[in-house]
Amino acid sequence: MMNRKKITAGYLKYVVKSPIVFYIYVITFLLLFLLMTNAISVDRRTSYSAIADKGQVQIVNETELELLDKRIYVYTEKNQEVLTLLVSSIEFGDGIISFILEQDQDILSGIVTVEAVTERSTLFHKIFSEVSRTR
């Protein structure tokens, strides 16, 4: 019983009467949030309409594209199967960008959607840059 009175007295003294413990909790978790969001990197992908056939994928009506990764993601409907394909080279033509795939990977044929990683940023930057863009 005596132990419980000491705990209650300590709680009243340090938490209720003085906000120091509350401030320490807030500052600690704010610092943890900032450190973790700066440590996590996020890929930003851009979607393009493309034509896939025989080991290559062609994006029409695009003149330049900077890939940060050798992987592209190809699908006809995103809710179904999304294929991850490795690109061996990129050829730029007259308004056409062709991805030559490694080892003639089996891909879908016809009109597909291609997603490519075009930017990398931290989670902190993504959260707060998205907030500033909406205002």
Side-chain angles (χ1 to χ4, degrees):
M1 198 59 141
M2 190 65 150
N3 226 2
R4 189 173 190 154
K5 286 184 180 180
K6 285 184 180 180
I7 293 172
T8 305
Y11 179 78
L12 287 173
K13 181 179 179 183
Y14 294 111
V15 177
V16 175
K17 291 182 180 178
S18 174
I20 292 174
V21 174
F22 174 73
Y23 291 146
I24 290 172
Y25 281 138
V26 169
I27 290 170
T28 301
F29 287 110
L30 184 63
L31 287 174
L32 279 174
F33 172 77
L34 293 175
L35 288 173
M36 293 305 291
T37 55
N38 269 329
I40 297 171
S41 69
V42 179
D43 293 338
R44 184 168 290 178
R45 298 179 187 169
T46 307
S47 297
Y48 302 97
S49 181
I51 300 169
D53 189 34
K54 295 181 184 175
Q56 73 177 19
V57 178
Q58 293 183 338
I59 298 175
V60 183
N61 296 330
E62 287 292 327
T63 56
E64 58 184 60
L65 171 69
E66 183 179 337
L67 280 182
L68 296 180
D69 201 354
K70 290 188 80 168
R71 290 178 293 190
I72 59 172
Y73 305 93
V74 180
Y75 57 89
T76 55
E77 187 175 331
K78 198 170 190 174
N79 294 333
Q80 293 180 359
E81 185 180 16
V82 177
L83 300 173
T84 303
L85 304 174
L86 295 174
V87 176
S88 64
S89 65
I90 303 173
E91 296 177 357
F92 295 94
D94 198 23
I96 297 174
I97 300 173
S98 296
F99 297 110
I100 309 301
L101 305 177
E102 288 185 359
Q103 301 173 352
D104 288 335
Q105 300 165 350
D106 292 333
I107 60 171
L108 305 168
S109 60
I111 298 175
V112 295
T113 303
V114 174
E115 285 187 1
V117 177
T118 55
E119 184 180 337
R120 281 202 175 100
S121 63
T122 63
L123 185 59
F124 178 82
H125 183 264
K126 185 171 173 78
I127 290 171
F128 292 106
S129 69
E130 296 293 326
V131 168
S132 66
R133 287 182 192 172
T134 59
R135 291 182 180 199

